[in-house]
Amino acid sequence: MSTPQETTTTRRPTSPPEPPTPAPATDTAAAQPEPAGGAEPESGKPRRGRPKGSTARTTRTIELTLTVSGTADGDWQAELKQGTTWLSRGLPVTATAVARAAQELHAELAAPIEAVIGAAREQRAARVAALEAELDQARKALAEIEV
């Protein structure tokens, strides 16, 4: 079965080879009617929208926001949010768990978090030392009263 373009090529053997290149697009369009809806785009005209059979749903990203906050006393809590929806709020976590999670995520996260936890640890140690000194004074005062 010969197409109209091939017939033209046969009639003019001296024509340049350029006309056969667009011939398949013209032949394809003439031989096959264009299906409605999700057909392939014509050459040169990109179609809009998602191509039929696309895997766009499997490549979409999910945005989760994890907020970890701590107090000067060393109390830490975590909150998890997806978009505008809170998945969990105010979950207590230990400083050790925060440091371990930061280390596993990335070294650049771990260094500043470890510095904050170290400063909180020093403050706690100072508070413990102050309370022990106060306890010693209270014991001495109690011992003086009993004598």
Side-chain angles (χ1 to χ4, degrees):
M1 181 169 157
S2 67
T3 61
Q5 193 66 335
E6 290 173 0
T7 307
T8 306
T9 306
T10 308
R11 288 182 194 165
R12 291 191 233 163
T14 59
S15 64
E18 292 174 343
T21 304
T26 308
D27 291 344
T28 307
Q32 297 176 351
E34 184 178 327
E40 292 268 335
E42 294 179 17
S43 62
K45 291 185 180 178
R47 293 188 59 90
R48 295 178 63 186
R50 191 174 75 200
K52 194 171 189 178
S54 173
T55 59
R57 289 185 179 242
T58 58
T59 58
R60 291 190 180 153
T61 59
I62 297 172
E63 180 179 311
L64 293 172
T65 304
L66 173 64
T67 305
V68 178
S69 56
T71 63
D73 295 334
D75 297 326
W76 291 86
Q77 67 177 3
E79 299 177 336
L80 185 62
K81 190 175 186 181
Q82 183 177 14
T84 58
T85 306
W86 287 101
L87 299 177
S88 60
R89 295 183 89 172
L91 294 174
V93 292
T94 63
T96 306
V98 172
R100 194 173 339 122
Q103 184 66 36
E104 291 206 16
L105 286 173
H106 201 279
E108 288 184 25
L109 295 175
I113 290 175
E114 187 60 41
V116 169
I117 291 174
R121 190 175 294 125
E122 288 174 8
Q123 287 179 352
R124 280 252 170 136
R127 177 78 174 135
V128 167
L131 288 173
E132 285 176 345
E134 187 178 333
L135 180 60
D136 285 342
Q137 289 177 354
R139 283 185 179 156
K140 287 179 184 176
L142 183 61
E144 289 177 2
I145 294 174
E146 289 179 356
V147 173

